[in-house]
Amino acid sequence: MTKPTILMTGAYPDGDMEALAADYDIIRFWEEADKDAVLAKHGTSIRAIATRGDLGADKALIDRLPQLEIIGCFGVGTDGIARSATRPRRIKITNTPDVLTEDVADLAFALMLAVARKVVKGDHMTRSGSWAKGNLELTTRVNGKRLGIIGLGRIGKAIARRGASFNMPISYFGRQEQRDMPYRYCGALTELAANSDFLVAIVPGGEATANLIKADVFKALGPDGYFINVARGSVVDEPALLNALENNIIKGAGLDVFANEPNIDPRFSQMENVVLHPHHGSGTVETRRAMGRLVRDNLAAHFAGRPLLTEVQ
Ligand code: NAP
Ligand code: 8YV
């Protein structure tokens, strides 16, 4: 039986690449020099796209694939997939929620601790021998400080659980109060920021949250406050963040996501009060294995005519 043809927008871990190649004819689109020629030749045979949360699938690509039935996303955030192209054609979309929740929450705390306790600078001092010239300056305590979470969803709740184990008073912002949660709800971002020492962004990307976090939020967070972003670069007014960091409007930031990844604004690299990380919140062996399995199980279900495991609208 002919294997379905799928277009991959970027690499998955090796094990997934091998498993996918066993069941599908793969077009490794990210490796193609002449993408237009590839679409002209294969466009009408491509039934699925396998993409990633950081790569998505734009309308221009989707419109070139008249037989496209499903888009599998290696990641939970599907904001990069053009719903203007998928919805009219009822193209299905799947993602990989839950299996990555705990690791992303871990990384949020890793960034919080790294920037507050100046772990990167301490490593450099120890490695370079400059410790002999003097000790690392005193840093900032994390435990017991106020934690503000923008987006108390799956990952946001996991971050809150970690905050509770650090004895941190916890508040959150979202579109509605979650009355079953034992945390303080703030209906305005500036109110949340004014009541936080560590403010963590973990909302979805996309139009509804574009530039959600602006200069007024950083001003409210204040000169002793830290901003952590493990959501999407798009949820922040990045020029306002850069200004807040350069002018000590906030104390520091831990950032896993940026505008224009991977070519981030060079101003970030000049700063000492930030820890920078390459969009790798789900980047553990265990989690990426589970994500790949879930993408493949959804594709297999689709082509077998079975219900999808994790379909998103
Ligand atoms: P989720 O369970 O859907 O949680 C999203 C939360 O955001 C919900 O609490 C929701 O609460 C809130 N929200 C949604 N739209 C909002 C809006 N317009 N304004 C304010 N709050 C809004 O999703 P998740 O599994 O936690 O994942 C969240 C996001 O994390 C993903 O979409 C992705 O962008 C990002 N992520 C990043 C990495 C990384 O590597 N850095 C890895 C995985 C995920 P309400 O409905 O009450 O507003
Ligand atoms: C990316 C993420 O998918 O899950 C998400 O939404 O942002 C990440 O897990 C990851 O970069 C996959 O390559």
Side-chain angles (χ1 to χ4, degrees):
M1 187 171 76
T2 310
K3 294 190 286 190
T5 302
I6 72 173
L7 178 149
M8 295 192 74
T9 59
Y12 285 12
D14 292 348
D16 290 313
M17 297 305 293
E18 289 151 18
L20 286 164
D23 296 329
Y24 306 99
D25 288 334
I26 309 273
I27 294 174
R28 299 164 68 104
F29 199 54
W30 75 98
E31 294 178 340
E32 296 293 346
D34 189 343
K35 291 178 165 53
D36 194 54
V38 169
L39 295 176
K41 182 175 181 184
H42 298 288
T44 55
S45 62
I46 293 167
R47 297 175 61 190
I49 292 174
T51 189
R52 301 192 322 225
D54 53 323
L55 297 174
D58 64 19
K59 187 176 188 305
L61 173 61
I62 295 168
D63 288 350
R64 295 288 300 272
L65 310 178
Q67 303 305 321
L68 185 63
E69 302 164 22
I70 184 171
I71 300 174
C73 182
F74 186 89
V76 64
T78 60
D79 49 294
I81 298 174
R83 292 322 197 275
S84 59
T86 59
R87 286 202 174 115
R89 294 169 55 188
R90 298 183 187 280
I91 294 167
K92 296 173 185 175
I93 300 172
T94 66
N95 68 344
T96 60
D98 298 313
V99 294
L100 49 70
T101 294
E102 300 303 327
D103 276 356
V104 179
D106 283 353
L107 185 78
F109 259 76
L111 291 171
M112 217 183 292
L113 288 161
V115 67
R117 299 299 301 273
K118 297 183 185 278
V119 171
V120 174
K121 183 175 182 180
D123 174 272
H124 176 72
M125 283 179 65
T126 310
R127 224 177 263 271
S128 68
S130 63
W131 181 14
K133 298 173 188 163
N135 287 330
L136 179 64
E137 66 266 31
L138 297 183
T139 63
T140 301
R141 172 183 293 180
V142 174
N143 65 83
K145 293 294 182 65
R146 299 169 301 170
L147 174 61
I149 300 171
I150 307 172
L152 193 68
R154 291 174 288 247
I155 300 170
K157 289 181 175 71
I159 292 168
R161 289 194 294 273
R162 284 152 180 79
S165 69
F166 275 65
N167 301 315
M168 300 174 86
I170 298 163
S171 305
Y172 69 98
F173 168 82
R175 292 168 298 186
Q176 60 264 330
E177 186 174 4
Q178 299 179 45
R179 295 184 184 279
D180 58 333
M181 286 289 114
Y183 316 123
R184 174 184 173 196
Y185 176 66
C186 294
L189 265 179
T190 49
E191 177 195 357
L192 178 69
N195 289 280
S196 300
D197 300 303
F198 292 90
L199 182 64
V200 183
I202 187 58
V203 287
E207 281 180 37
T209 56
N211 287 316
L212 180 68
I213 304 159
K214 299 181 175 66
D216 59 340
V217 178
F218 297 123
K219 185 164 176 54
L221 180 57
D224 294 326
Y226 290 88
F227 177 64
I228 307 296
N229 194 359
V230 287
R232 287 286 188 268
S234 62
V235 307
V236 173
D237 175 345
E238 191 162 280
L241 173 59
L242 285 157
N243 178 64
L245 288 163
E246 286 170 342
N247 294 292
N248 299 310
I249 292 168
I250 63 172
K251 191 161 192 173
L255 305 171
D256 187 48
V257 287
F258 305 84
N260 195 38
E261 295 172 6
N263 306 304
I264 70 170
D265 190 305
R267 290 161 64 187
F268 283 118
S269 305
Q270 307 308 313
M271 300 174 183
E272 284 208 358
N273 56 345
V274 296
V275 171
L276 308 175
H277 202 250
H279 196 157
H280 215 51
S282 62
T284 66
V285 171
E286 298 85 350
T287 283
R288 290 295 169 86
R289 188 175 291 140
M291 291 164 67
R293 174 85 254 180
L294 195 43
V295 171
R296 290 186 280 115
D297 286 350
N298 273 300
L299 288 172
H302 171 74
F303 287 111
R306 297 195 306 269
L308 299 176
L309 287 78
T310 51
E311 184 172 5
V312 296
Q313 300 314 315

